[in-house]
Amino acid sequence: MNSYARWRRTLIGSSLLLAAGGIWLASSVLLVAAMAPIGFVAYATVTRPPKAESDLVCTRTVTPMRTVPGNTARVTLTIHYQGERLRPDIRVVDGVPDDLAVVGGSPRGGFTFDGKESTQLEYTVRARYGEFEFSPVSIVSRGPATGSSTTIELPADGDTQLQATYDPEQYPLSERTIPITGEITTDRGDEGLEFHSIRQYEPTDPASRINWRQYARERELSTIEYRAQEAAEVLTVVDARPGAGQAAGLTAPTGTEFCVALASDIIDSLLADRNPVGIATLGVDASELHSETLIPTDSDLAWLPPRNTAASRTQIQLLLDAAAATVAPQEETSRSSSNGAPFDPIEIIDRTTQQTQVIVFSPLCDAFPVELVKQLDAANRDVSVYSPAIVDSETAGGRIAAVKRELRVHELETRGISVVNWTPTESPELAVEQDLARRTQ
């Protein structure tokens, strides 16, 4: 029994005792006194806390609902009061996902309604990679006449999710392919969709590829060749070492998170285009994942060879999740200069062939990934780099780190290596287009 119910029963009991005493003693004073508690009960009943389930409707709007990691989203929570009670006091706390930081405004608010009306609270969150569900709105309602309150969790109408992903439509792959049908158009004639050339007819050629127009005109058989569409064997390397877990600010995603985010989306695109894809995560101990599919190594490197199966997709996601889990609190990563357990790049070179294309995802916060890429390039591996610029250029130390990072990017580009150098607040698609344009000049 709550305090309001006890208070109400006490007043009603007092009123009944006074009324009974007034009738028994024929005292008008006691009868009038008996009316006072009843008046208090009646007033408290009219002004008691509203029934939030029926009197309140919450509507949430998230703008935009889909963005990229590191960007912000504005959340507007509208509270509609539809009750009849007088001046209810409402305290509201929106159900912000635990993993999202509020960087502007507040998801909390207190409101007093004079009738059927609406009010709003607005706040801004910084997006991280993934999909995040908002929880129901916590509401505490009080009436003006009593100290009682009610607390409920009320689901909000409207938007309930914020999604932050990349959706790349292109990625820097060369024409090094393997003889498996895929989506990369080569400069070799075979079966495909795009015209390549016309050659002399051979008895084993299928009838569908005979140039029937030339035969009708010249009575000579010839065969149409199309540009072959083959698959690329791709190895993605994700830098999840402690040195990559830096961020531009306390609420900003880390370099590791950006690398995992973009790697996940590019891997999905590669697999959808029927390319065999493998993954190597730097800074992840494969022995702790308890997976029989992963190839064990002697260093801090988890490895899955290029494949395109349902099982391999599950293992790739396992490794990406493990890479994301290496992110340490900002105050720890800012103090740490450790690069993780050492490993020799020859481990990657020995497990790949010259037909394997390697995509490295790293914020290039230190020299190690540069040396890795240079050794892969020297071993005639077709290698490209995706690098998020996550250094804080507003401080002296951040500006120095930014200059060093730009020098690393320039060093790789001068060797002819494709470096997609993008700012996380922008779409990497633009950086890909700029990189392709630069290499074709």
Side-chain angles (χ1 to χ4, degrees):
M1 183 182 301
N2 57 34
S3 59
Y4 171 77
R6 290 194 299 269
W7 178 78
R8 184 171 178 271
R9 290 185 61 178
T10 300
L11 287 177
I12 292 176
S14 300
S15 178
L16 291 175
L17 286 174
L18 289 172
I23 295 173
W24 179 260
L25 299 175
S27 172
S28 59
V29 175
L30 292 178
L31 289 175
V32 171
M35 297 175 61
I38 295 297
F40 281 114
V41 171
Y43 178 74
T45 301
V46 173
T47 60
R48 67 178 299 186
K51 297 179 179 179
E53 298 92 333
S54 58
D55 292 349
L56 292 173
V57 176
C58 294
T59 303
R60 183 189 299 111
T61 303
V62 181
T63 308
M65 286 185 61
R66 180 167 182 172
T67 183
V68 298
N71 276 8
T72 58
R74 187 177 70 256
V75 183
T76 302
L77 185 68
T78 304
I79 302 97
H80 310 272
Y81 180 64
Q82 301 175 337
E84 303 290 343
R85 303 183 187 278
L86 301 177
R87 298 185 60 83
D89 180 26
I90 306 296
R91 306 299 170 92
V92 176
V93 181
D94 198 8
V96 184
D98 293 337
D99 294 329
L100 299 184
V102 178
V103 295
S106 175
R108 302 171 179 268
F111 311 99
T112 300
F113 296 94
D114 290 324
K116 293 184 178 181
E117 58 182 3
S118 300
T119 189
Q120 291 182 336
L121 63 84
E122 293 186 354
Y123 60 96
T124 304
V125 296
R126 188 177 302 281
R128 307 188 87 96
Y129 177 74
E131 297 181 358
F132 299 91
E133 292 284 344
F134 284 79
S135 302
V137 182
S138 296
I139 297 178
V140 179
S141 58
R142 298 175 183 273
T146 68
S148 63
S149 63
T150 59
T151 302
I152 66 165
E153 301 288 325
L154 185 66
D157 297 335
D159 301 335
T160 60
Q161 186 182 85
L162 174 63
Q163 184 179 17
T165 58
Y166 297 113
D167 190 13
E169 296 181 357
Q170 54 182 335
Y171 23 79
L173 294 183
S174 71
E175 291 186 2
R176 286 192 192 180
T177 58
I178 56 178
I180 298 176
T181 301
E183 296 294 326
I184 297 178
T185 302
T186 68
D187 197 27
R188 180 174 56 82
D190 202 342
E191 296 183 359
L193 299 175
E194 182 181 348
F195 175 80
H196 179 266
S197 61
I198 296 177
R199 62 170 174 81
Q200 186 177 0
Y201 172 77
E202 295 179 0
T204 56
D205 291 338
S208 60
R209 291 172 56 189
I210 295 176
N211 189 354
W212 293 108
R213 290 186 178 181
Q214 181 179 356
Y215 178 77
R217 184 175 62 252
E218 303 175 4
R219 293 297 173 181
E220 292 185 2
L221 290 174
S222 60
T223 301
I224 299 176
E225 290 278 5
Y226 298 92
R227 292 187 185 275
Q229 288 186 295
E230 295 182 341
E233 183 178 87
V234 183
L235 175 69
T236 55
V237 181
V238 179
D239 190 356
R241 300 167 304 124
Q246 302 180 26
L250 291 175
T251 62
T254 65
T256 301
E257 289 180 273
F258 282 120
C259 290
V260 171
L262 189 55
S264 176
D265 290 334
I266 287 184
I267 288 171
D268 287 343
S269 298
L270 288 168
L271 292 173
D273 289 342
R274 295 173 289 185
N275 300 291
V277 181
I279 185 172
T281 51
L282 314 182
V284 175
D285 187 355
S287 63
E288 297 180 355
L289 301 179
H290 307 292
S291 174
E292 298 179 356
T293 309
L294 301 177
I295 296 178
T297 63
D298 295 330
S299 58
D300 208 359
L301 170 70
W303 172 274
L304 183 73
R307 296 170 183 163
N308 195 334
T309 64
S312 68
R313 295 181 184 217
T314 301
Q315 295 298 320
I316 287 174
Q317 190 59 52
L318 174 66
L319 281 178
L320 288 173
D321 291 343
T326 63
V327 177
Q330 176 67 17
E331 57 270 17
E332 294 182 11
T333 56
S334 62
R335 293 195 303 264
S336 173
S337 60
S338 171
N339 293 328
F343 77 94
D344 193 337
I346 199 67
E347 292 189 52
I348 293 180
I349 296 173
D350 287 345
R351 290 183 169 92
T352 58
T353 68
Q354 292 188 0
Q355 285 186 309
T356 305
Q357 300 191 42
V358 182
I359 304 178
V360 178
F361 299 88
S362 173
L364 301 179
C365 294
D366 54 58
F368 178 81
V370 176
E371 293 302 318
L372 169 64
V373 172
K374 288 165 60 177
Q375 291 195 39
L376 288 169
D377 181 59
N380 200 25
R381 302 297 188 269
D382 197 303
V383 60
S384 55
V385 180
Y386 274 100
S387 182
I390 49 88
V391 292
D392 182 8
S393 58
E394 296 184 358
T395 63
R399 287 191 289 270
I400 294 174
V403 171
K404 290 182 178 180
R405 180 183 173 279
E406 288 301 321
L407 291 175
R408 297 183 189 109
V409 172
H410 180 70
E411 181 180 1
L412 295 176
E413 289 179 337
T414 54
R415 295 176 63 99
I417 297 171
S418 170
V419 180
V420 179
N421 181 25
W422 101 97
T423 303
T425 55
E426 301 175 351
S427 170
E429 285 290 327
L430 178 61
V432 172
E433 293 174 3
Q434 292 173 345
D435 176 69
L436 293 175
R438 182 173 56 253
R439 288 189 290 137
T440 54
Q441 287 179 350

